[in-house]
Amino acid sequence: MRLFYLFKKEILEVFRQKEMVAVLFIAPLLQTILLGYVVRTDIQNIPVEIVNLSSSPDAFRLVNRITHSPLFQVTGLHRRPLDYQEIFKKGQAKAVIVFRDEEMTTAPGRLKGASGLAGGKEGPASGNGESGAATLRPASLLPRPSVQILMDGADANSAMIATGYFYGVIKRYLEDLLADQGQQLPLQPQTLIRFNPSLNSIHYMGPGIVALLLTITTMFLTAIALVREKEQQTLDTLLISRLTPVEIFLGKTLPMALIGLVEMTLGIVVVLLLFRIHLRGSLGLLFIAALVFLFSILSVGFLISLISQTQQQALFFSWFTMVLFLMLSGLLTPVENIPSVFQWLVEINPLRYLVKIIREIFLKGNGLAYFWKDLVVMGVVGFVSFFLSLLNFRRSVVR
Amino acid sequence: MPTEGINSPVTPTPPSGSFSGGEAARGTGETVVAVRNLTRKFGHFTAVDRLNFTIQRGEIIGFLGPNGAGKTTTIKMLTGLLRPSSGEVTILGFDLRREIRQIKKHIGYMSQKFSLYPLLTARENVEFFAGISGLPPARIKQVKQELATLIPPALLRLQVADLPPGIRQKVALFTCLLTDPEIIFLDEPTSGVDPELRRNFWSLIYGLKTRGKTLLVSTHNLDEAEYADRLLIIHQGKIILEGPPEELLQRTGASNMEELFKQAIISHETP
Amino acid sequence: MKRLKAVIIKEFKHILRDPRSLAVVFIMPLVQIFIFGHVLSFDLKKIETIIIDYDETSLSRELSQRLAASQYYELYFSPEENAAARKDPDRAEQLLRSGKIKQFIIIPAGFARSLNHSPPATLGVTIDGSDSNIANRIYQYNERILREFSLEKSHLPNPIQVNIKMFFNPEISSPYFIIPGLVAVLMVMISALLTSLSIAREKEAGSIHLLFISPLSPAEIILGKTIPYLLVALLDGTIIFLFARFWFGVPFRGSLTILFLFSLIYLICGLSLGILISTVAATQKVAMMVALLATLLPSLFLSGFIFPLESLSPILRSFSYIVPATYFLRIIRGVTLKGAVLSHFLFEGSVLLAMSLFLLSVASLKFQSMRRSGQ
């Protein structure tokens, strides 16, 4: 019952601050929408420069395909060599694709693969291949192009993606070439992409952003909750009342948890309606996961509030913690490659588990069996911070 | 009944010849607060140095001293907000270290900043404090009605931050009395309030006394010293003078409080 | 000028009297660059894969080995485990679902026969598509390896030979392009944070009224509050950069003078942003939040640091043009990794300079209007 009044007071205080309400509800929504659109990792229009020094028709056709692909934006097409370094220094392209004529060699050697693993053992097939090559390229004296892709390693991310795209273009070209001859590559992998067949990045990012939403505001609010009372001089009154530390903890965190859940619901609605992502798993499980997460993140926030002296300090600490959680969450970059010295930070990061669980529920429709361990770890992180708070409570408020 | 004390228009007793009640008015003789060798250190700095005093039921203690003398530190220790470095405190027979939960049920505390929630209205503040003190809902309803008789209705809807200081002070005292405490600690309740309001406030304090409450009121304002039944003058963490105001004046031969205070400090600093 | 000097000195004293905040300002970026420099990486060295070989011929084993030996894969399970998955196909599905593997490849029975005698042979590849970016890369790696294998076995002509050359960063080391980006983000964040509190603090303390009634012009106050922090920010920037250079070994191929010059402009830009925030915000708390959020998020997401600018939608792309980090990122990557020179960045430099001037003037105007309404 006493808890109810504390609860009511917290809620009243939050809603009395207009800027707070804006920060709480409008900012996160804007953020979801904005981030949802920013974080399209489907990259298009990569600026490339093409230098075609080859006279082969293959090179011309490939140049043509690249120019017409939406994936590339050809910023310049040249017929003579350039100062490639200069292009990158100016930053006018991420990659330069250079077509050259290869040194003429004898026809059979030319027909073999680039990295020559002699196919001696499958006799009939090789004969088949020879004849195919002959039909494919009757005028065997035509020059054969070699392609060099020069990349700006300073932006290795874009450059690597560009190469990937380029390989795709070549592969399709090759297949078309063979198809013209009524042939196909002898190995046809059937690739099945599970959970997100359209490879739409928003399907991956959207649910993750919902997780982020839950973190930002609730953690900030909890972190300043106690410090504000300190600054307002009202903390003494709370302490002199018959409220126990646990009651104060609950009174401070439960309202934030409620606000967090409302925000998450809004986020989910945005994700479902605006980004058109289907929820494959159970909504109930999603909320259970959110509750466990809130317990751990709010405990951390409460701990921050206890060790801070001013609201500014509290904001700063929680901001620092949050950026750390965000960077180590797998939301932006994969966490598998993080060096083992820092791996423990990943292991105790509640946001990382939530991101994982939310994605699993949304995209894979996984049930509890797949992530109950993650829930346990989040809960443990929460309990540890909770007990640290209780241990610190007397010491930091009653000095 | 909190409002009784606050609303009853007791005029503040003028300092001269007002203590007609004599010893009876000063206390019943039952010791409700006993302090022995109470000390608090912050690092190397000793803020409160071996205080010894007792308070009788029904007394108004004036806790007098310049800023930084250790008044707030002492009150915070007496209310359990600050841990003493050493010394013993017994309040209503309960030991402060071990039985703080019992003590909390019987004390009220109001700090110099009035400690209300600035974003909430007076009514919401009262409801909150009544709520966390564990008053039953019916009683909470009742105190809210009492509050309405206490301050002008137009002000009831304002957030505390927008209330005039005098009203804020009244509301703060009201909340402090919600649990009907036996002993009330008021830490500089009149700081930042004009003399007129200050006098009104003391009339409220007298009202409380008539209802048998025990009060410890700290102030650095010498004018207020004469309102108290008994003075504890604290300087640099030590109690340098103790006794009823008129008796102290007589004993030292000082003509007024200011002189008394100056003398006390000088004699303390030049032993 | 004399008055300006007085403001500068006062502000300096403020900075020096608060050693704790100063320590935070110097230590925090170092901690961040240390952690994030080690942690942020786009490398995808491990793609946990299971290969289920139902064919078990020399050809299928050769293909398995080829996949396993690729620099891109890490086979998640030992051959025995692969064999276990072979008996229980659900196992692979469970592992994919739980995220323990990223893909599984099934080589069907009769694969070798089919490849040799009745091509095309098929191969079942199942990829976890939930992270579209990673799935895309896995798909492309697969295609590349399988195509090479296929061409080899068929003796069809490979009409095109491809080789890749990576300039400036031949080992495609993630830190080399992440660290300079981090330096850019941290520099703008710190500089904005430094000044964001300066005027808000005076507002809270009420001392702003003293500034109002002083004969100082708004421009003098704004400059007087910016210049001292420029020195702090420069020192901070230098420390961050030295850390990047020597701890992470980021190559430095350009001229130190040029980097210094552009860093100076960039820091002024950040400080100006902070001072503008400070004039608008009512309290230090708000100023600080705005400064942190207004610098961190755009610098991370809209500058090309984490997500290539090409991936932004046109509207957001246009936002990226007002983010200072967008320009400085080009400069710092250019100078450190590519050895670019002054003439490459005339445009970027002028934009940053123009931004600073704009921000400072808006701050002065805002201060002016505050003074008018404040009296």
Side-chain angles (χ1 to χ4, degrees), chain A residues 243-287:
Chain A
L243 292 171
T244 61
V246 177
E247 280 176 320
I248 294 180
F249 173 83
L250 289 176
K252 289 280 173 190
T253 50
L254 281 180
M256 305 313 154
L258 187 71
I259 289 173
L261 289 178
V262 171
E263 275 191 357
M264 187 181 88
T265 315
L266 283 177
I268 290 175
V269 168
V270 168
V271 162
L272 291 178
L273 296 183
L274 201 64
F275 299 146
R276 298 181 190 286
I277 303 173
H278 295 291
L279 177 66
R280 297 222 173 88
S282 131
L283 198 61
L285 273 181
L286 199 61
F287 275 92

Side-chain angles (χ1 to χ4, degrees), chain A residues 51-281:
Chain A
V51 177
N52 186 1
L53 306 174
S54 164
S55 53
S56 81
D58 284 325
F60 276 103
R61 285 191 211 114
L62 272 172
V63 169
N64 200 22
R65 287 196 177 206
I66 294 169
T67 324
H68 286 97
S69 159
L71 301 176
F72 300 102
Q73 191 203 342
V74 179
T75 53
L77 183 55
H78 313 271
R79 295 289 297 167
R80 60 178 51 128
L82 297 174
D83 181 355
Y84 305 119
Q85 297 235 3
E86 190 61 18
I87 289 179
F88 294 141
K89 283 180 185 173
K90 276 190 209 143
Q92 74 189 57
K94 292 277 159 72
V96 181
I97 303 170
V98 186
F99 294 90
R100 281 199 186 82
D101 281 336
E102 211 176 51
E103 293 294 309
M104 296 298 283
T105 49
T106 53
R110 213 187 72 218
L111 293 175
K112 279 193 175 171
S115 47
L117 213 161
K121 39 192 164 173
E122 65 273 46
S126 81
N128 193 8
E130 290 292 330
S131 63
T135 45
L136 186 68
R137 197 172 297 283
S140 57
L141 284 178
L142 274 180
R144 175 188 173 207
S146 79
V147 187
Q148 194 177 30
I149 305 174
L150 308 167
M151 287 193 286
D152 181 354
D155 191 358
N157 206 17
S158 305
M160 288 303 285
I161 293 166
T163 334
Y165 287 164
F166 185 71
Y167 272 113
V169 170
I170 290 187
K171 181 193 170 237
R172 241 161 286 132
Y173 177 71
L174 196 60
E175 279 171 354
D176 289 354
L177 217 58
L178 288 167
D180 286 348
Q181 305 296 322
Q183 295 195 353
Q184 51 187 342
L185 281 172
L187 179 56
Q188 297 285 329
Q190 310 272 314
T191 302
L192 175 65
I193 306 226
R194 297 288 306 276
F195 314 125
N196 179 13
S198 54
L199 283 184
N200 195 339
S201 64
I202 192 64
H203 286 214
Y204 186 62
M205 293 308 295
I209 292 168
V210 170
L212 187 60
L213 268 187
L214 257 184
T215 324
I216 298 182
T217 38
T218 50
M219 186 161 155
F220 275 132
L221 278 180
T222 317
I224 58 171
L226 263 189
V227 194
R228 194 181 52 219
E229 304 247 6
K230 269 186 215 170
E231 286 191 350
Q232 259 167 215
Q233 313 264 336
T234 44
L235 187 62
D236 287 350
T237 335
L238 275 193
L239 294 176
I240 232 168
S241 73
R242 272 165 257 172
L243 292 171
T244 61
V246 177
E247 280 176 320
I248 294 180
F249 173 83
L250 289 176
K252 289 280 173 190
T253 50
L254 281 180
M256 305 313 154
L258 187 71
I259 289 173
L261 289 178
V262 171
E263 275 191 357
M264 187 181 88
T265 315
L266 283 177
I268 290 175
V269 168
V270 168
V271 162
L272 291 178
L273 296 183
L274 201 64
F275 299 146
R276 298 181 190 286
I277 303 173
H278 295 291
L279 177 66
R280 297 222 173 88

